[in-house]
Amino acid sequence: MTKTVTENSALLHDASKGRISSVLLAAVWGVSVLAASSSMVNMNKYMMQDSVFPYPVPMVLFQFSFATMLNGGLIMIRPGLYPSLTGNSESKVIITRELMLRRVLPVAFAFVISVLASNMAYYYSSVPFLQMMKESNIITVYVMSLAIGAESFDSKQSLVLVLLAIATVGSIHGEVRFSLAGFVLQAVACLGDASKNIISAMLLSGAGKKLDPMSFSLLLSPLVLGFTGLLCVGQHQVQGMTSLPSQQAFERSWQLLLGNAVLAFGLNLAIAMFLRYSSALSFGMLGILKDILVVISSTALLGAHISGVQTVSFTMQIVLLCIWTYMKMTE
């Protein structure tokens, strides 16, 4: 009897230590996600200045060249980071021509549109303004999901999104240095990002094809690299921001490009590890914290200006996003 009690106590102690360890690891990776994501946004904004490296296509090409090589090396050294591709037969995703062409390729195309338009928008507009516009992404996703039948209409959720739309309009109206080009480019980026999210949900999670973030990155990176490579080939006659950089510009900025690529890959790794030790609700709330940190850090580091109207509107956006996240997690 005494032995059984002792064994049960030991099991409870081990389980308690395991839970504490998971919470601590989630906290560490969560902080890493916050630091990497806010740094990534501010670094992209900095690099898109005329005096630094205002070439979004080569920037993305460099990021995904690095990601493709590093993913290829990591899957051989640490296959456990890619459970969907290296796990047991029940969870393992078999890479087929159909998976790549009909499932991953559309996501890669939407992703390229989103990331290029987003980086180009940094050239024209401030980080807080673009981030406040980005908060409306869930409205686009919801409307598109209703249109294709992936979501059912909910009056309470719709009311929250209507209020979010009003808050977003307020943040746009309150922009002191409004740029039409930045607004249009960010709108395109939001559409591309919403399309990527919907296609991912429909095609990558359907029919048992559930990919973890690192496996998804490994399959996505070569396709994004191919798309941006084709764009670079077609840019040799183009002038301006969509042109190719000179040798002098590359030599001046190669260290920044390398740091940018390392940061982008580190962010994907941190997200994957955070999801391993946390829940979908935690990730949703982490995204909201990230949005707040991006806006605060951009004002502190880059001197971005936020008007009083934008401060009120952004606060409304954050509150409504918290409500939306709770509603989605409890439906």
Side-chain angles (χ1 to χ4, degrees):
M1 181 68 177
T2 304
K3 183 179 179 181
T4 303
V5 171
T6 303
E7 289 176 348
N8 288 339
S9 298
L11 289 172
L12 288 171
H13 178 68
D14 290 342
S16 178
K17 286 180 63 178
R19 284 194 296 271
I20 293 172
S21 176
S22 295
V23 170
L24 289 175
L25 285 170
V28 168
W29 287 113
V31 171
S32 300
V33 171
L34 291 174
S37 56
S38 60
S39 299
M40 189 76 197
V41 170
N42 287 302
M43 189 176 190
N44 285 346
K45 171 64 176 176
Y46 172 76
M47 290 183 68
M48 284 302 295
Q49 297 178 96
D50 283 320
S51 59
V52 186
F53 196 82
Y55 305 100
V57 176
M59 187 190 302
V60 175
L61 181 71
F62 201 91
Q63 285 178 357
F64 282 88
S65 297
F66 184 83
T68 299
M69 291 187 293
L70 204 56
N71 273 318
L74 273 179
I75 195 171
M76 292 186 289
I77 300 170
R78 293 291 302 274
L81 291 173
Y82 305 84
S84 297
L85 301 178
T86 60
N88 56 50
S89 57
E90 292 182 2
S91 61
K92 187 175 181 179
V93 175
I94 305 300
I95 302 176
T96 63
R97 183 178 178 181
E98 179 188 5
L99 174 67
M100 296 303 296
L101 295 182
R102 297 185 61 183
R103 298 176 184 273
V104 184
L105 188 65
V107 178
F109 182 73
F111 179 81
V112 168
I113 292 174
S114 174
V115 72
L116 288 180
S118 179
N119 283 343
M120 291 173 73
Y122 289 133
Y123 183 83
Y124 296 101
S125 299
S126 68
V127 169
F129 172 71
L130 298 176
Q131 192 65 38
M132 290 173 195
M133 277 191 67
K134 194 175 180 181
E135 303 303 330
S136 65
N137 267 14
I138 60 170
I139 301 174
T140 309
V141 171
Y142 185 72
V143 171
M144 293 174 68
S145 298
L146 284 177
I148 63 175
E151 283 270 7
S152 56
F153 180 79
D154 184 284
S155 58
K156 292 181 181 179
Q157 292 181 2
S158 298
L159 176 60
V160 171
L161 294 184
V162 168
L163 294 174
L164 179 60
I166 294 171
T168 303
V169 170
S171 67
I172 295 170
H173 180 72
E175 176 66 9
V176 176
R177 301 181 183 129
F178 178 80
S179 167
L180 181 60
F183 172 79
V184 172
L185 285 166
Q186 186 66 1
V188 172
C190 289
L191 283 172
D193 191 52
S195 301
K196 180 203 74 174
N197 291 337
I198 291 173
I199 295 170
S200 299
M202 288 177 57
L203 301 181
L204 297 180
S205 298
K209 300 277 194 306
K210 181 65 175 177
L211 288 168
D212 64 89
M214 290 298 289
S215 297
F216 180 50
S217 174
L218 185 144
L219 298 180
L220 189 72
S221 295
L223 296 177
V224 173
L225 180 61
F227 279 130
T228 50
L230 289 174
L231 287 173
C232 282
V233 169
Q235 284 185 308
H236 66 283
Q237 298 290 344
V238 180
Q239 299 297 319
M241 183 172 56
T242 55
S243 64
L244 294 179
S246 63
Q247 182 178 345
Q248 291 82 359
F250 182 79
E251 290 175 352
R252 184 179 66 242
S253 305
W254 72 266
Q255 291 157 314
L256 278 174
L257 285 168
L258 180 59
N260 185 261
V262 170
L263 191 57
F265 188 84
L267 175 59
N268 284 334
L269 177 61
I271 289 172
M273 298 307 294
F274 179 78
L275 287 171
R276 179 174 294 186
Y277 296 106
S278 66
S279 64
L281 178 60
S282 298
F283 187 68
M285 298 308 295
L286 186 72
I288 294 172
L289 286 175
K290 181 263 294 181
D291 295 340
I292 297 171
L293 184 60
V294 165
V295 171
I296 293 174
S297 62
S298 65
T299 57
L301 298 176
L302 302 176
H305 175 73
I306 303 176
S307 68
V309 173
Q310 285 181 307
T311 301
V312 174
S313 298
F314 184 61
T315 302
M316 287 178 60
Q317 286 179 314
I318 294 302
V319 172
L320 290 165
L321 284 171
C322 290
I323 295 171
W324 171 264
T325 302
Y326 176 77
M327 292 173 72
K328 296 300 290 183
M329 291 298 104
T330 57
E331 65 178 5

